[in-house]
Amino acid sequence: MLRKVDSHMLLRSICVWFACFSTGCRTATEPEDTGEVPKDSGLPLETGLPVQWDCDQRFWTSGEPLILNTETETSQFCEQYNAVEGDLRVELGTDEDPIMTLGGLSCLCEVTGSIEIFYLGVASGTAGPPPPHISADLELDNLRRVGGDFYVHHVPGITTVEGVYQLEEVGGDLVLESNQAVGTVVFDSLTTVGGRFSMIGMGQLQALSSPRLVQAGALEIGTGDTWHSRFVYLGVRALEEVGGDFSVIGVPKLGELEAESLRGVGGALRLGSTCDAELSLPLLASAGSLHLVGQCGLASLNGLSSLTHLSGSEEPYLLDLSFNDGLDSQELSDFQAGFSLEEDQVLIQGVDVGGCDVWLQNRWGRTETDTCE
């Protein structure tokens, strides 16, 4: 990956040098006087020096919410700024001069508030064709930090989210929702998500990888109402703590779940409606509750060998192991006996009401044959 990044930056440097040689470099000019004082970047904008592609120095906007909804506005952003003080809202699909690419924001290093990128027609309720994006990715190559939420939704023009490879921290929620063409999501440098880290309504999603993520407020792939039939891989191998729920639901093809460093889940640990997923969470010692429901291929609970404490902080009951074909009564009994409970806690196992096929039919209206073969 480092080789890929170096090549990318080298190519960009060559292009910037050529543009400077041919037409002159863009400079950071004095912004319109709005009465707001830009956050100190360490280098006044009036010096006339070019905004650099790296993030050693910040050129801040004024602090007012910044709304970009035309290609002209987006392409001119880097002429003055590389950081946003406050919120950034990118509206796609305007009638005149619509944003065709997010490349104009490739210098963006930090947003202290929230980022929202979305198709304008969804928010306004107006019907119309999707925006004619040239971009197939989020071209936020330099983004390091988002202080609030990072929310990308209903953007049909992107097919992958891998171009945010330097993002290290999101203070609020990181949510990708209803981006129907996205197949792969990779956050190479991300270490912390203060709120939810969620993938919702992403019908073509096949893989999510965040190999350096250590801590998240919650992690969610799907919800009780969404079905991700193509999703096969979840890689969060450095993840140690999840403050809320760790929930992976409606992912029948999930074949690999890498979360071997996970030690604690503050809320519910939910894994539902998978065909072949094996559990390998050897360090997980505690969770609020445990729900393994409709696991067609789950034949053993050995992958939860360290789990001995269920806090009961998020659920009225602590354990649900229903609709699992491969777990026999002796293994269930031994597993339950390994928990250390408080005096007022009651360990409730789901009633044996059928196998995985019953669950898939009743909950999702699907058969095991169609889903898992």
Side-chain angles (χ1 to χ4, degrees), residues 34-357:
T34 62
E36 296 287 341
V37 179
K39 191 173 182 179
D40 183 15
S41 66
L43 182 65
L45 295 179
E46 62 266 27
T47 59
L49 295 177
V51 175
Q52 302 297 316
W53 287 113
D54 62 46
C55 294
D56 291 340
Q57 296 171 313
R58 301 286 200 268
F59 297 85
W60 294 93
T61 62
S62 66
E64 295 296 323
L66 178 62
I67 299 175
L68 302 176
N69 54 27
T70 69
E71 179 71 12
T72 300
E73 293 172 336
T74 305
S75 64
Q76 292 176 350
F77 176 83
C78 292
E79 294 180 6
Q80 296 190 46
Y81 311 111
N82 67 0
V84 174
E85 173 72 8
D87 295 338
L88 171 62
R89 180 180 170 109
V90 181
E91 302 176 343
L92 308 173
T94 53
D95 292 334
E96 296 183 7
D97 193 19
I99 297 172
M100 300 293 288
T101 172
L102 297 177
L105 297 177
S106 59
C107 68
L108 182 65
C109 300
E110 181 175 350
V111 176
T112 62
S114 296
I115 298 178
E116 182 180 13
I117 303 173
F118 71 107
Y119 173 39
L120 190 60
V122 174
S124 65
T126 59
H133 286 299
I134 296 174
S135 302
D137 197 351
L138 294 179
E139 298 165 325
L140 302 176
D141 303 0
N142 273 296
L143 185 62
R144 267 61 164 191
R145 181 180 181 275
V146 178
D149 299 334
F150 188 2
Y151 185 27
V152 182
H153 61 102
H154 299 91
V155 182
I158 56 174
T159 59
T160 185
V161 178
E162 299 182 42
V164 200
Y165 50 79
Q166 297 198 74
L167 180 65
E168 298 174 356
E169 178 185 356
V170 176
D173 296 338
L174 197 171
V175 180
L176 302 183
E177 181 177 1
S178 299
N179 303 297
Q180 294 295 344
V182 172
T184 305
V185 175
V186 180
F187 290 99
D188 282 319
S189 302
L190 187 65
T191 62
T192 304
V193 177
R196 297 181 300 133
F197 189 1
S198 300
M199 306 287 119
I200 303 171
M202 308 266 283
Q204 300 298 313
L205 186 64
Q206 300 178 41
L208 168 63
S209 176
S210 188
R212 292 178 176 83
L213 183 67
V214 175
Q215 184 176 3
L219 191 147
E220 304 169 345
I221 307 297
T223 66
D225 300 318
T226 60
W227 185 256
H228 292 84
S229 61
R230 297 175 178 267
F231 192 76
V232 296
Y233 174 75
L234 173 59
V236 286
R237 57 179 178 266
L239 184 63
E240 297 179 3
E241 296 290 335
V242 176
D245 291 350
F246 185 111
S247 181
V248 183
I249 299 175
V251 287
K253 302 298 184 183
L254 179 65
E256 193 169 2
L257 194 166
E258 291 185 348
E260 57 267 31
S261 300
L262 187 62
R263 297 175 181 273
V265 176
L269 173 59
R270 303 178 186 274
L271 188 61
S273 305
T274 68
C275 297
D276 298 310
E278 295 183 5
L279 287 176
S280 182
L281 305 174
L283 300 182
L284 182 65
S286 65
S289 57
L290 176 64
H291 307 262
L292 305 177
V293 181
Q295 302 297 96
C296 301
L298 185 62
S300 172
L301 295 170
N302 292 337
L304 296 171
S305 57
S306 298
L307 183 59
T308 59
H309 180 67
L310 298 176
S311 67
S313 60
E314 299 293 333
E315 298 286 348
Y317 53 89
L318 303 183
L319 182 64
D320 188 354
L321 299 174
S322 58
F323 298 102
N324 297 303
D325 295 336
L327 300 177
D328 60 38
S329 58
Q330 184 59 52
E331 180 162 17
L332 292 175
S333 178
D334 293 344
F335 184 66
Q336 293 178 66
F339 287 102
S340 175
L341 302 177
E342 304 294 335
E343 271 187 34
D344 58 346
Q345 289 182 316
V346 179
L347 187 67
I348 301 178
Q349 178 190 336
V351 178
D352 186 10
V353 291
C356 175
D357 56 340

